[in-house]
């Protein structure tokens, strides 16, 4: 009863947030998708972290530690570099661009007849294809949570439940594979009820209140999720015999060699030829990805912030919550579950091993947590699920309303300018379409890891161009079209010939990154440059970093200024990243020491991480970054032009 009361209070809070924001969100797309640009940096950072928390990510971490050890988590931690690059290089640009979506950004950045087709293609590709795949991954995790905690066949009367089972049987629908021994029809019926109720709850406040409601609930959701995760970690470690002897118990169960591999933050000494492929993967995936410049909900949160500095703060807060705090909690759980639910080498070669280890994260909650705490953790997982779903609904709907309908259908087909409230209605209706597509994809997914590998592959071809368009003026719309087109062609070919075998992933990612980037750069040099007028307007509005000699000349400022500013921001990324990763490794090794490692390295890492904090914190909070050195002459030029027109 206590568990259900906690869940009910969480549901009521979410619905109330949507109702509070409904009136304001209905005024315009700016209010609906960017909350009127009124969000403080720390709240935006919490919202980013809540979305990235996701119900599927702790399951993924549990599976990775069991199959490949702690070192494999660098595949997730390396994204900290992308988050910090977003903070110090791209966040301000997104905010200054004055757009609602990445698709609309093409109109501000490029010129030519292909701008509208590119905008439409990106809106459909990001807003529907990629967005729905990510949602489907989250829903796969949701059905594993639902199977354990929501046994509808025991709760509902036969008159209500039997027709649902009959519908499932007649359609042949199957949602997931049971981890508790339920019949397939019962499992699917239970999961169908759970998914529809969870999505209905999330959609009600997300569709109603827009980004304001999403961020209001995200802050609470992330806080609940972290408190619940901390409690879960405490009970797991306690059941495993305490933190002090955790390493020894892993050694007893799996042997010294396997335990060293499982608990090492650095490459195992016996990694051999497997090390190079892994280093290639983590070296590529953080940069060659579809969100390398923050494209998506990270950019959306940055654009919703009140000032440039708040946008920077948002991304740095997000990086530290995501990489350090959250990871330490999940590590305790994943390593504790290795002790409480041991396995043999023979088990690792069986079908469904990865999915089974992922599901243990949920099973452990049922087995180990007492009433009240299990309800708190259930709310934490539901909050993680809801925060991811609400963000992807809101973000996906922004493409359909702002770019598909507002940017193409209304002006080009209906030959009129759409009204603000009309666009908001389209945004709310498009949420339903996104949910239906995501559920169809979910029904055909197995392991979360496999889906994650495939999504990384499709995004690997886009990353370099997405970054370069902010740093190099020569990138044009044909560069992006080429990168996207080659990715869509190359990825299925690689999957057909190389499959989804994890051992072949480094080859797949390497080929994809090389082929698409080479093609995009070659096309860049043989296609027309962006028009002077568009380039000048973009430079004046955004004041981008990097190599912009022609744009700087058009604005009458020094081209060297943008390059020097880029150097300063990359230095900020470097020292913040060094501080973050040093503390992660230092604290992590101190809490979960490898079998043959000493504490000296751990303390050195902690000291280095703490010493660097004042240096990057000063850069982060500095007002000097809010305006670039050449802003004053450009602003004066704009004022003179306005005076002349007057």
């Amino acid at each position: 009863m206590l568990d259900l009361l906690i869940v009910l209070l969480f549901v009521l809070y979410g619905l109330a947030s949507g109702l509070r924001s409904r009136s304001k969100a209905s005024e315009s797309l700016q209010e609906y998708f960017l909350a009127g640009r009124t969000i403080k940096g720390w709240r935006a950072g919490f919202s980013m972290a809540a979305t990235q928390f996701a119900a599927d990510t702790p399951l993924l971490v549990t599976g990775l530690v069991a199959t490949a050890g702690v070192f494999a988590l660098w595949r997730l931690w390396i994204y900290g570099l992308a988050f910090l690059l977003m903070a110090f290089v791209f966040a301000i640009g997104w905010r200054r661009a004055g757009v609602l979506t990445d698709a609309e950004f093409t109109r501000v950045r490029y010129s030519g007849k292909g701008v509208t087709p590119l905008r439409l293609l990106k809106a459909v590709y990001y807003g529907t294809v990629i967005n729905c795949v990510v949602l489907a991954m989250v829903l796969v995790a949701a059905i594993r949570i639902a199977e354990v905690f929501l046994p509808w066949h025991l709760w509902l009367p036969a008159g209500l439940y039997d027709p649902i089972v009959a519908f499932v049987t007649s359609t042949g629908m199957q949602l997931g594979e049971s981890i508790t021994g339920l019949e397939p029809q019962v499992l699917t019926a239970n999961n169908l009820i759970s998914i529809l109720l969870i999505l209905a709850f999330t959609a009600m406040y997300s569709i109603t209140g827009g980004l304001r409601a999403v961020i209001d609930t995200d802050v609470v959701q992330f806080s609940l999720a972290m408190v619940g995760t901390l409690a879960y970690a405490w009970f797991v470690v306690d059941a495993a015999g305490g933190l002090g002897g955790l390493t020894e118990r892993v050694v007893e169960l799996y042997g010294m060699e396997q335990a060293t591999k499982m608990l090492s933050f650095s490459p195992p000494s016996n990694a051999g030829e497997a090390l190079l492929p892994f280093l290639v993967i983590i070296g590529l995936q953080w940069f060659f990805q579809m969100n390398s410049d923050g494209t998506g909900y990270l950019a959306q949160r940055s654009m919703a912030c009140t000032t440039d500095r708040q946008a920077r703060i948002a991304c740095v807060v997000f990086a530290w919550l995501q990489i350090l705090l959250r990871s330490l909690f999940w590590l305790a759980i994943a390593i504790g579950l290795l002790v409480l639910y041991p396995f043999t080498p023979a088990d690792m070669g069986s079908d469904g091993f990865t999915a089974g280890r992922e599901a243990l994260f949920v099973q452990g909650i049922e087995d180990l947590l007492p009433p009240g705490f299990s309800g708190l953790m259930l709310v934490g997982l539901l909050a993680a699920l809801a925060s991811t779903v609400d963000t992807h609904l809101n973000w996906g709907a922004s493409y359909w309303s702002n770019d598909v309908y507002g940017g193409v259908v209304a002006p080009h087909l209906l030959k009129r300018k759409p009204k603000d409230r009309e666009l908001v209605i389209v945004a709310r209706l498009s949420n339903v379409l996104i949910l239906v597509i995501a559920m169809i994809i979910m029904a055909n997914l197995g392991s979360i890891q496999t889906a994650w590998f495939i999504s990384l592959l499709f995004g690997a071809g886009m990353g370099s161009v997405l970054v370069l368009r902010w740093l190099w003026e020569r990138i044009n719309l044909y560069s992006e079209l080429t990168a996207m087109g080659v990715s869509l062609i190359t990825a299925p070919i690689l999957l057909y010939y190389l499959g989804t075998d994890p051992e072949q992933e480094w080859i797949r990612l390497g080929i994809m990154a090389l082929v698409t980037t080479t093609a995009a750069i070659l096309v860049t040099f043989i296609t027309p440059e962006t028009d002077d007028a568009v380039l000048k307007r973009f430079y004046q509005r955004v004041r981008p970093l990097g190599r912009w000699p022609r744009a700087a000349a058009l604005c009458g400022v020094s081209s060297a200024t943008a390059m020097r500013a880029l150097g300063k921001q990359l230095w900020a990324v470097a020292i913040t990243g060094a501080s973050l990763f040093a503390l992660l490794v230092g604290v992590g090794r101190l809490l979960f020491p490898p079998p043959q490692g000493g504490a000296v390295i751990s303390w050195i890492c902690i000291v280095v991480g703490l010493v660097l904090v004042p240096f990057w914190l000063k850069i982060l909070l500095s007002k000097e970054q809010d305006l670039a050195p050449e802003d004053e002459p450009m602003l004066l030029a704009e004022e003179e032009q306005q005076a002349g027109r007057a």
Side-chain angles (χ1 to χ4, degrees), residues 357-381:
R357 295 307 300 190
E358 291 172 350
L360 279 179
F361 184 91
V362 180
Q363 187 64 47
I365 299 172
E366 175 76 3
D367 295 344
L368 303 172
L369 296 186
F373 284 102
S374 59
L376 181 62
M377 189 59 205
L378 175 58
V379 167
L381 287 174

Side-chain angles (χ1 to χ4, degrees), residues 56 130-141 143-144 174-177 355 358 437-455 500:
D56 61 318
I130 299 300
N131 193 36
C132 289
V133 168
V134 174
L135 268 176
M137 290 169 59
V138 175
L139 295 178
V140 168
I143 61 177
R144 293 179 185 166
Q174 183 173 348
L175 298 179
E177 296 181 1
E358 291 172 350
I437 297 173
M439 288 191 66
I440 293 172
I441 297 173
M442 175 201 66
N444 294 282
L445 283 184
S447 166
I448 298 170
Q449 280 192 34
T450 301
W452 183 49
F453 292 157
I454 294 174
S455 67
T500 58

Side-chain angles (χ1 to χ4, degrees), residues 409-425:
V409 174
H412 296 284
L413 298 181
L414 302 180
K415 305 296 182 182
R416 63 180 178 80
K417 182 179 179 180
K419 298 178 181 178
D420 286 336
R421 291 188 177 274
E422 177 185 350
L423 290 170
V424 173
I425 292 173

Side-chain angles (χ1 to χ4, degrees), residues 20-33:
R20 282 198 309 269
S21 305
R22 181 178 179 275
S23 177
K24 199 71 176 176
S26 300
E27 293 179 3
S28 68
L29 290 188
Q30 286 282 335
E31 293 292 342
Y32 190 84
F33 289 119

